[in-house]
Amino acid sequence: MANIFIGGAWPYANGSLHLGRVASLLPGDVLARYFRAKGDNVLYVSGSDCHGTPVAVQAIREGVEPGHIAGHYHREFADGFKQLGFTYDLYTRTDQRFHHEVVQELFRKLLEQGYLYSRTVQQTYCETDARFLPDRYVEGICPVCAKQARGDQCDHCSTLLDPADLLERTCGICGNPPVERPTEHYYFALSRFQNELAGYASQAAAGWRENAVQLTRRYLEEGLRDRAATRDLSWGVDVPLPGFEHKKIYVWIEAVSGYLSASKQWASETGGRWEPFWLDGERDITAYYVHGKDNVPFHTLIWPAFLLGAGGLHLPDRIISCEYMTLEGKKFSTSRNWAVWLPYMLSRYEPDSIRYFLIANGPEKRILIFRGGNSFTATTENCSAPSATS
């Protein structure tokens, strides 16, 4: 009997789920049902990403605490997944003590192993809002494709960015040009894993979708860069070090660590064992990670680097990375309020009809949705149905 771990990406709790997010996560439930039917030992986990910058900024706009926003959408997500028949063994959330402790433990381990180091850097600061800006809320022109981008990643060409890379930068909250101010942060030495990750990717890529293979190859060819591991934020997981009390662990570290924290939480709550799904000494482990195209580097490079740095933990085997869903030619986006929302669809269609449409059509390449009056119709281009073993 094989041990099958399935991790579904953690949606930001800053707005309702849209069909693009559901489409990217649904293959995980198909896999879980398939392997349980085979008699395998399955652990299927996910949760709401309650700490990200989108949550904090949404709270600012509504004049409430971030926990209020996160709690509201977490409950909505959990109910939506339940209505759709998702069979998570645990669907949890990141803004709770159990998750914080696991993330801080991993942070300390990486520090002890020498993979985290501190340095003073110039970080983007908005004088109008009197705050350091998280990378996602610095906007400008991508230096690679010359299209509008955010300071963490370009949605058009998938380049991983730093805010300093952007041209014509503006604050994503107020729209004014930001300045640079010095601040001390910890950085994760991702570059030290270049050769090891290249070897890993060359072997594991046989179990990945083509978009994951191509994007990962591109990042490796460009050369991996060290990435900030902490940020000047008020909402998130505390940095467990003296002198950093007012800083938080960067959400891109924290969110992917949720796969491990959710597994340990499941074991704690049920009396089960998380070790058979995670420890390299265990036999017959296959780990599936199910997410959208925008999350590829975090699952094929950054999360494997954390696991290698911590030591003894099983790396991803299968990367199920769905393509984007578009509405009238533009990519779905919660922060830009451009999508077809799950609550809307559930109020009008049976859950099994929604599941069937999304599974039958992809979006392995692309689903195009057109809006006319009060109705929605969809067409597909070069799509293929997800496979339980792809």
Side-chain angles (χ1 to χ4, degrees):
M1 182 172 65
N3 295 309
I4 307 295
F5 174 78
I6 304 170
W10 297 54
Y12 276 132
N14 70 315
S16 295
L17 286 173
H18 56 64
L19 284 194
R21 182 64 62 199
V22 174
S24 71
L25 296 177
L26 189 54
D29 188 62
V30 175
L31 289 164
R33 291 167 179 261
Y34 169 75
F35 285 114
R36 289 190 190 113
K38 281 185 61 183
D40 290 320
N41 190 25
V42 174
L43 177 57
Y44 177 32
V45 300
S46 185
S48 302
D49 185 350
C50 296
H51 284 143
T53 302
V55 178
V57 171
Q58 187 66 24
I60 293 172
R61 288 171 175 165
E62 296 188 20
V64 298
E65 293 298 316
H68 176 81
I69 298 290
H72 170 79
Y73 286 111
H74 170 73
R75 290 186 292 272
E76 184 180 297
F77 292 176
D79 180 64
F81 287 129
K82 182 178 180 180
Q83 288 188 61
L84 284 172
F86 275 64
T87 57
Y88 291 119
D89 292 294
L90 179 69
Y91 185 81
T92 183
R93 54 195 293 173
T94 59
D95 58 343
Q96 55 180 347
R97 182 178 298 276
F98 196 103
H99 173 73
H100 286 215
E101 291 175 350
V102 172
V103 172
Q104 290 171 334
E105 178 186 2
L106 179 59
F107 187 93
R108 292 190 191 96
K109 185 171 291 188
L110 292 171
L111 182 63
E112 291 168 1
Q113 297 296 325
Y115 295 118
L116 290 172
Y117 62 92
S118 66
R119 75 184 192 197
T120 299
V121 296
Q122 294 292 321
Q123 187 176 334
T124 310
Y125 184 88
C126 179
E127 294 179 316
T128 303
D129 296 314
R131 60 186 293 154
F132 283 102
L133 293 175
D135 294 356
R136 185 180 175 88
Y137 276 82
V138 182
E139 299 180 349
I141 304 300
C142 174
V144 176
C145 69
K147 294 185 178 180
Q148 193 71 22
R150 293 168 174 156
D152 56 351
Q153 185 176 8
C154 177
D155 287 342
H156 298 282
C157 68
S158 298
T159 298
L160 293 178
L161 297 169
D162 189 88
D165 299 328
L166 293 176
L167 308 175
E168 301 177 20
R169 292 180 300 165
T170 60
C171 170
I173 300 173
C174 69
N176 291 313
V179 298
E180 298 286 329
R181 287 193 179 181
T183 183
E184 185 181 6
H185 282 295
Y186 273 87
Y187 274 68
F188 177 62
L190 182 63
S191 61
R192 291 176 56 185
F193 294 91
Q194 173 83 33
N195 293 334
E196 197 167 2
L197 287 172
Y200 155 71
S202 67
Q203 295 179 1
W208 296 359
R209 293 255 173 93
E210 186 61 23
N211 55 12
V213 173
Q214 296 300 328
L215 284 172
T216 302
R217 180 180 299 138
R218 169 192 162 184
Y219 296 132
L220 288 167
E221 290 175 351
E222 291 175 352
L224 300 180
R225 297 190 298 176
D226 296 352
R227 291 177 63 89
T230 62
R231 272 295 184 253
D232 292 285
L233 300 170
S234 59
W235 176 243
V237 177
D238 293 336
V239 179
L241 298 172
F244 281 75
E245 291 84 359
H246 301 294
K247 300 177 190 285
K248 305 297 180 184
I249 296 175
Y250 209 169
V251 71
W252 62 265
I253 286 183
E254 177 217 329
V256 290
S257 301
Y259 296 119
L260 181 59
S261 71
S263 300
K264 291 185 173 183
Q265 181 182 343
W266 165 83
S268 176
E269 293 179 357
T270 65
R273 296 182 65 240
W274 62 271
E275 294 88 348
F277 302 96
W278 281 97
L279 298 186
D280 275 339
E282 300 287 340
R283 298 178 58 188
D284 297 324
I285 304 175
T286 304
Y288 289 79
Y289 287 83
V290 184
H291 51 83
K293 179 181 179 180
D294 54 338
N295 280 325
V296 165
F298 301 99
H299 291 83
T300 64
L301 295 171
I302 292 173
W303 181 229
F306 292 162
L307 298 174
L308 289 168
L313 297 172
H314 191 79
L315 303 184
D317 296 297
R318 306 285 188 265
I319 299 295
I320 313 299
S321 44
C322 287
E323 288 287 337
Y324 298 137
M325 184 177 286
T326 64
L327 173 63
E328 297 180 354
K330 293 190 292 184
K331 183 172 99 58
F332 278 23
S333 172
T334 300
S335 60
R336 295 188 174 101
N337 195 32
W338 187 256
V340 178
W341 307 103
L342 179 61
Y344 171 92
M345 298 300 289
L346 285 171
S347 71
R348 289 161 175 78
Y349 299 97
E350 290 295 324
D352 282 349
S353 298
I354 298 172
R355 287 178 64 107
Y356 173 78
F357 174 80
L358 295 176
I359 286 294
N361 291 298
E364 302 317 296
K365 293 295 182 184
R366 184 168 53 164
I367 292 181
L368 301 175
I369 296 184
F370 300 92
R371 181 169 53 184
N374 294 319
S375 64
F376 291 86
T377 60
T379 62
T380 62
E381 292 188 1
N382 301 320
C383 294
S384 60
S387 165
T389 56
S390 62

